[in-house]
Amino acid sequence: MIGLYKKDLYLSKKMLLIMISTFVLLLVFGILWRSAYDYGNLASFPPEDLEYGKRSSEKTFPFLIALLLGCESAFFTVNTIEMDIKSKFVMYAYSGPVSDQDKTKVKVYELLTAFVVCSLATVVYGLIFGILYGFSDVGIGILIGIGISVVINCMACISVPLAYKHKNAARAISTPVAVLIGGFYAIGIPEALFGAEDGLGRIISKLVAPITKAGGFKPWLSNNWVWIVPIILIVHVLFLAWAYFATLRQVKRRERICGAS
Amino acid sequence: MDYTNAIEINQIKKVYDGFTLGALSFTVPKGCVMGFVGQNGAGKSTTIKAILNVIKPNSGDIKVLGFDSVTEEKQYKDDIAVVFDSLPFHEGLNARKVDRILKSIYKKWNSEVFFHYLKRFNLPEKKKLGDFSKGMKMKFQIATALSHDAKLLIMDEATSGLDPVVRSEMLDVFMEYMQDEEHTILMSSHITSDLEKIADCVTFIHNGQLLLSGYKDEILENHGIIQCEEAYIKEIDEADIVSIRRNDFGASVMIKNRTQTGSKYAGAVVDSASLDDILLFYVRGLTGREWRI
């Protein structure tokens, strides 16, 4: 199993370099941007705008790094599957002493690694920002960053079994992205056309009403993130578990992956 | 596990749209080099995939090194090595990285042996596999296959597309590998000259059906070609004829059971048949007893 993990690491060397470059470039850009409010051209803004700009940049940059690194890491996890199929390594692995379960576990561990790396990157970024400019708004940025890492990781969980199914990384990634965007539009268009009381917006409002009336969302609305974090973690674990079983199901379909004849 | 046959294929059948393999039965005795011969599309790769448990036959069963290929897969996979017709490693990797990867996959991986073969084959350790020539890639695959003390080496068209010098070099390596009586090779190829050099047994398949399987020397001894005129064909016993090739000057008749029936045709010259001839006469004989060139 470690061998397969190492193999994917070697294959993702370029992507890892891109991720490191992204982190460094965004850190430099973020510091320059934030410093511009103190010492640069942006320092001439009216006091209210200046304060807003400082606070928003301290919130935005830590989660922006999670967004970029999340997308890159999700891509390399899925891309290695396509590379394995194209290079016939997948056939070699089937003829070797690696069980289907181990092949699947490697992919789930890679997803977890990607999540940990993205979360750590957002924390490190936030800490650097915090040390330089104070921690008052950085915490929210880090929290949103970890949340974004979870969301992207959950989408990658859907993409991994799809990559085995379609033998195509781009198709495997675009499917959950299309569903997500389509979902936003499905809710957003009726909202825009008829207002919240009509169309899908109305249906969703009705569905959510019993919970909101019972005060079910109060802990969330009162900004009590102590509740949000475990829920996010549970959702993430459920997605990872789903990724394991859905991928294992695909990996077991050896004949389909290796070609019919 | 004690076993007499490294591979036992028992009545396997695989049905595809437009192609059916089998029902196929043959064995590869332990310590033997088995040549697996057939035209392109005959079903050699399908059979090998079934042996590796990559495809699931519709019926029948396969035993590899004494273990059931499906239910006891884990127990034999460490002891087999496979060489494919193309390199199954990513082109961006190099030999050192492949060593590190396979060290963690095979329990008996021996880096010393691996690097010994690399040196012997003049393969660079740091060069990307994508920059290797076809011959180098094949040598590299063989180096990886021989570096984890596999008892069974399965090769799927491994020597196809290689120049005669590299092929000869590889055959020498296989001969060395076979010095250990525990070792067995199943080598699929349509280049029968290679198999004539190293194979102990040969299995012919055509259109998914078994044509012939047995010890190579017996097969070669039992088949012969009578070069004769049209009139002489009537003298040959129908039961001995595999097929007849006619040309403008006469006919070539392949006979079987040559060792037993040779004296019957003392008046004719019976030439030895090569594996290529045997395959050709059997395949052409399937569509009609006589054929013309």
Side-chain angles (χ1 to χ4, degrees):
Chain A
M1 198 169 73
I2 297 165
L4 296 181
Y5 201 87
K6 274 184 195 170
K7 185 256 313 163
D8 284 350
L9 203 66
Y10 290 139
L11 293 181
S12 308
K13 210 173 159 186
K14 269 185 195 166
M15 190 54 86
L16 289 172
L17 285 173
I18 292 172
M19 285 172 74
I20 293 167
S21 310
T22 306
F23 182 84
V24 173
L25 285 172
L26 200 70
L27 185 65
V28 171
F29 181 72
I31 290 170
L32 284 173
W33 182 279
R34 174 61 186 80
S35 299
Y37 286 109
D38 290 332
Y39 316 108
N41 291 341
L42 302 179
S44 57
F45 274 19
E48 275 177 28
D49 292 347
L50 195 65
E51 192 56 31
Y52 177 78
K54 280 178 185 177
R55 291 189 66 185
S56 63
S57 61
E58 284 163 23
K59 285 176 192 167
T60 308
F61 280 105
F63 83 71
L64 208 57
I65 196 73
L67 183 71
L68 292 174
L69 295 188
C71 292
E72 287 164 4
S73 62
F75 188 75
F76 86 61
T77 310
V78 176
N79 199 34
T80 50
I81 297 170
E82 188 186 332
M83 289 166 89
D84 281 353
I85 294 170
K86 276 188 180 163
S87 71
K88 281 195 177 175
F89 183 82
V90 74
M91 177 85 175
Y92 185 83
Y94 279 130
S95 59
V98 188
S99 69
D100 291 345
Q101 283 78 2
D102 282 348
K103 286 182 200 104
T104 310
K105 276 181 203 166
V106 168
K107 288 292 152 199
V108 175
Y109 290 154
E110 281 173 19
L111 286 170
L112 260 176
T113 310
F115 167 68
V116 170
V117 167
C118 292
S119 300
L120 273 178
T122 202
V123 169
V124 170
Y125 200 105
L127 283 175
I128 294 169
F129 251 62
I131 291 165
L132 292 173
Y133 310 109
F135 287 93
S136 58
D137 291 304
V138 163
I140 294 168
I142 292 173
L143 197 64
I144 298 170
I146 294 171
I148 283 174
S149 298
V150 171
V151 172
I152 294 172
N153 213 245
C154 288
M155 287 171 73
C157 286
I158 299 168
S159 296
V160 168
L162 287 178
Y164 278 108
K165 192 176 180 184
H166 300 310
K167 303 179 187 179
N168 183 312
R171 204 173 154 197
I173 290 170
S174 62
T175 306
V177 171
V179 169
L180 190 77
I181 293 170
F184 274 123
Y185 272 88
I187 297 166
I189 288 172
E191 285 262 352
L193 290 175
F194 311 111
E197 295 306 313
D198 295 288
L200 267 179
R202 184 168 57 91
I203 297 165
I204 290 165
S205 302
K206 276 193 173 178
L207 285 172
V208 172
I211 308 167
T212 46
K213 275 179 190 166
F217 286 147
K218 270 185 183 169
W220 300 35
L221 299 170
S222 62
N223 223 357
N224 191 350
W225 60 271
V226 176
W227 288 97
I228 298 171
V229 171
I231 288 168
I232 287 176
L233 286 176
I234 289 166
V235 170
H236 191 202
V237 169
L238 286 175
F239 264 89
L240 286 169
W242 183 84
Y244 175 79
F245 290 110
T247 307
L248 183 61
R249 190 164 166 259
Q250 293 298 330
V251 168
K252 280 182 183 288
R253 297 167 80 182
R254 303 170 173 206
E255 201 168 328
R256 198 183 170 280
I257 294 170
C258 293
S261 62
Chain B
M1 167 71 86
D2 199 28
Y3 56 90
T4 48
N5 293 316
I7 301 172
E8 283 179 31
I9 295 179
N10 184 26
Q11 292 292 313
I12 61 153
K13 192 171 184 180
K14 180 71 188 172
V15 181
Y16 292 112
D17 187 18
F19 176 76
T20 301
L21 175 76
L24 200 66
S25 297
F26 69 91
T27 55
V28 182
K30 182 166 90 170
C32 168
V33 179
M34 166 71 85
F36 194 34
V37 191
Q39 291 171 292
N40 293 326
K44 301 188 294 293
S45 296
T46 306
T47 310
I48 287 174
K49 282 181 181 176
I51 293 168
L52 297 173
N53 192 27
V54 173
I55 61 164
K56 200 178 172 186
N58 299 88
S59 60
D61 57 85
I62 299 171
K63 282 195 170 178
V64 182
L65 305 176
F67 296 104
D68 185 88
S69 68
V70 180
T71 56
E72 297 169 312
E73 187 186 18
K74 275 185 191 171
Q75 276 137 299
Y76 72 85
K77 283 285 173 85
D78 225 352
D79 287 324
I80 65 167
V82 190
V83 178
F84 297 102
D85 56 344
S86 59
L87 191 71
F89 302 110
H90 303 276
E91 303 219 313
L93 298 174
N94 61 29
R96 284 186 178 184
K97 285 176 182 170
V98 171
D99 170 61
R100 278 179 226 139
I101 293 166
L102 297 185
K103 202 190 281 179
S104 314
I105 290 179
Y106 289 99
K107 282 180 202 158
K108 289 185 275 181
W109 180 261
N110 189 331
S111 296
E112 233 172 80
V113 173
F114 177 64
F115 286 111
H116 159 76
Y117 276 115
L118 291 186
K119 210 171 178 184
R120 182 175 165 180
F121 296 153
N122 284 323
L123 297 173
E125 292 175 17
K126 291 180 188 170
K127 194 174 181 176
K128 281 185 180 178
L129 300 181
D131 297 331
F132 279 16
S133 68
K134 189 165 183 178
M136 288 165 88
K137 283 178 183 172
M138 196 47 70
K139 284 178 183 175
F140 184 79
Q141 265 206 86
I142 289 163
T144 58
L146 299 178
S147 301
H148 58 95
D149 195 22
K151 288 178 185 160
L152 172 63
L153 178 59
I154 298 173
M155 288 184 280
D156 189 7
E157 301 284 359
T159 53
S160 310
L162 297 180
D163 65 69
V165 178
V166 177
R167 284 212 322 261
S168 160
E169 203 180 339
M170 293 301 104
L171 295 183
D172 289 342
V173 174
F174 301 149
M175 298 273 214
E176 282 171 30
Y177 172 76
M178 289 308 292
Q179 295 302 309
D180 187 331
E181 58 187 20
E182 290 290 314
H183 290 170
T184 308
I185 295 180
L186 172 69
M187 187 176 176
S188 102
S189 180
H190 52 256
I191 303 172
T192 50
S193 58
D194 289 348
L195 299 176
E196 278 186 38
K197 282 181 197 159
I198 66 157
D200 303 306
C201 308
V202 186
T203 294
F204 291 92
I205 65 164
H206 177 68
N207 273 343
Q209 301 300 314
L210 188 79
L211 287 180
L212 209 59
S213 186
Y215 284 94
K216 180 192 75 184
D217 292 341
E218 281 177 18
I219 291 173
L220 290 174
E221 275 172 28
N222 275 331
H223 290 82
I225 299 172
I226 300 177
Q227 308 286 357
C228 59
E229 291 177 358
E230 292 278 336
Y232 189 79
I233 296 172
K234 287 175 196 161
E235 307 283 321
I236 303 170
D237 194 339
E238 275 290 326
D240 296 337
I241 298 174
V242 175
S243 70
I244 302 165
R245 178 173 62 192
R246 290 182 190 277
N247 57 40
D248 294 339
F249 310 103
S252 305
V253 184
M254 175 164 281
I255 55 161
K256 53 190 174 186
N257 306 322
R258 181 184 165 198
T259 45
Q260 290 149 26
T261 60
S263 56
K264 278 200 251 177
Y265 314 113
V269 179
V270 184
D271 292 333
S272 303
S274 65
L275 291 177
D276 249 346
D277 294 329
I278 296 169
L279 177 66
L280 181 68
F281 275 81
Y282 268 93
V283 169
R284 298 301 291 261
L286 290 173
T287 47
R289 188 171 149 275
E290 295 179 21
W291 46 287
R292 176 169 276 280
I293 52 166

